[in-house]
């Protein structure tokens, strides 16, 4: 099985752009889709990116996802930061029989 | 609209059992795999296990931490997925979420989430 490693926390100012990384420990990042979830305090997670770079309806285009095979990692980029983006963000990937989550990144917008 | 509603959580003593339910609506339940994900207080998300749709044999897979103690089942006629938890440990204390993938009956990918139900294992 593989692991997904995220930074514990990131912070940035409103209006700026932030990128959260998610590095896969073994196997290719491109071999299975990566999803990203936002979780605000006291709420259930919601999907902000699926299948590496797809946005569900209702998610603003300020959110984007990508993968980089050279670093074996995925990234979530949020541009034009708003205070409402402050939350925990989790990456996730899976194969046919297991699902793996990253440890989560706390985004502070200050 | 996809809706997933968990129920059955509560306070239970170590070593005892508890069964959670996930009642689904807004889609054809039998077409999709269903997963359970948990989150211990102040911690991250942990995948528990999932059950494939009947089209893929209705087979199950589990995380190593719960294998042999937890069992996932489904009743497609009632649109309910179950999580039977036996031999509960204090470290099983968590909010348990029911999830569904976007489009298939085979993979454990969470795309849609319920509101969660809290299980507290304590004497």
């Amino acid at each position: 099985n593989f692991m997904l490693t995220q930074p514990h926390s990131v912070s940035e100012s409103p209006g700026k752009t932030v990128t959260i990384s998610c590095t896969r420990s073994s196997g290719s990042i491109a071999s299975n889709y990566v999803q990203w979830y936002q979780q605000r305090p006291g709420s259930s997670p919601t999907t902000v990116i699926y299948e590496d770079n797809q946005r569900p309806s209702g998610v603003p285009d300020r959110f984007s996802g990508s993968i980089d095979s050279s670093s074996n990692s995925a990234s979530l980029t949020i541009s034009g930061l708003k205070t409402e983006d402050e939350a925990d963000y989790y990456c996730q990937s899976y194969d046919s029989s297991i699902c793996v989550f990253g440890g989560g990144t706390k985004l502070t917008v200050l | 609209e996809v809706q997933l509603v968990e129920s059955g959580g509560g306070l239970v003593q170590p070593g005892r059992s508890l069964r959670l339910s996930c009642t689904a609506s807004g889609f054809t339940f039998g077409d999709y795999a269903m997963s359970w994900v948990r989150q211990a207080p102040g911690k991250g998300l942990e995948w528990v296990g999932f059950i494939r749709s009947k089209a893929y044999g209705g087979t199950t897979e589990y995380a190593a931490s719960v294998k042999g103690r937890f069992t996932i089942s489904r009743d497609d006629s009632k649109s309910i997925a179950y999580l039977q938890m036996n031999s509960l440990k204090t470290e099983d204390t968590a909010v348990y979420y029911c999830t569904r993938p976007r489009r298939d009956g085979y993979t454990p990918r969470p795309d849609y989430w319920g509101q969660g139900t809290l299980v507290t294992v304590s004497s």
Side-chain angles (χ1 to χ4, degrees):
Chain A
N1 291 348
F2 59 93
M3 296 193 310
L4 298 172
T5 300
Q6 302 179 233
H8 181 69
S9 63
V10 296
S11 61
E12 191 49 272
S13 302
K16 300 291 189 179
T17 297
V18 70
T19 297
I20 300 171
S21 63
C22 171
T23 301
R24 179 165 170 156
S25 62
S26 61
S28 171
I29 192 71
S31 61
N32 305 102
Y33 285 129
V34 174
Q35 282 60 238
W36 289 91
Y37 307 99
Q38 177 192 70
Q39 187 179 33
R40 295 189 174 105
S43 296
S44 304
T46 60
T47 305
V48 292
I49 294 290
Y50 69 96
E51 293 176 2
D52 298 340
N53 55 20
Q54 301 299 302
R55 273 188 316 276
S57 59
V59 174
D61 60 6
R62 301 185 297 106
F63 289 80
S64 62
S66 63
I67 63 168
D68 180 356
S69 294
S70 65
S71 59
N72 213 36
S73 65
S75 295
L76 172 68
T77 299
I78 310 172
S79 60
L81 275 170
K82 301 184 177 184
T83 55
E84 67 204 46
D85 298 331
E86 188 162 290
D88 293 326
Y89 290 85
Y90 295 89
C91 62
Q92 175 269 331
S93 192
Y94 65 98
D95 64 16
S96 60
S97 60
I98 64 163
C99 176
V100 177
F101 288 95
T105 299
K106 181 176 181 58
L107 169 62
T108 302
V109 181
L110 38 66
Chain B
E1 179 193 2
V2 173
Q3 289 203 327
L4 303 170
V5 178
E6 302 90 339
S7 60
L11 175 63
V12 61
Q13 293 179 327
R16 303 297 291 265
S17 299
L18 197 65
R19 188 178 79 162
L20 306 183
S21 299
C22 169
T23 302
S25 60
F27 63 98
T28 303
F29 181 78
D31 288 347
Y32 296 89
M34 298 297 296
S35 287
W36 289 90
V37 175
R38 68 183 180 182
Q39 186 171 35
K43 302 297 185 183
L45 301 173
E46 180 189 15
W47 178 72
V48 172
F50 84 117
I51 184 166
R52 297 181 179 88
S53 68
K54 291 289 197 297
Y56 293 100
T59 52
T60 54
E61 306 285 352
Y62 300 95
S65 57
V66 305
K67 197 168 186 177
R69 299 189 299 124
F70 289 12
T71 302
I72 298 172
S73 59
R74 62 190 301 154
D75 185 337
D76 291 352
S77 68
K78 296 181 179 178
S79 297
I80 299 177
Y82 299 101
L83 177 63
Q84 177 68 43
M85 303 184 292
N86 298 333
S87 303
L88 281 162
K89 306 175 182 180
T90 55
E91 52 262 43
D92 295 318
T93 293
V95 174
Y96 285 74
Y97 296 102
C98 170
T99 75
R100 197 210 90 175
R102 179 163 296 271
R103 50 169 148 261
D104 69 78
Y106 187 71
T107 65
R109 187 178 100 187
D111 284 286
Y112 299 96
W113 298 70
Q115 89 288 349
T117 187
L118 176 62
V119 172
T120 303
V121 184
S122 174
S123 55

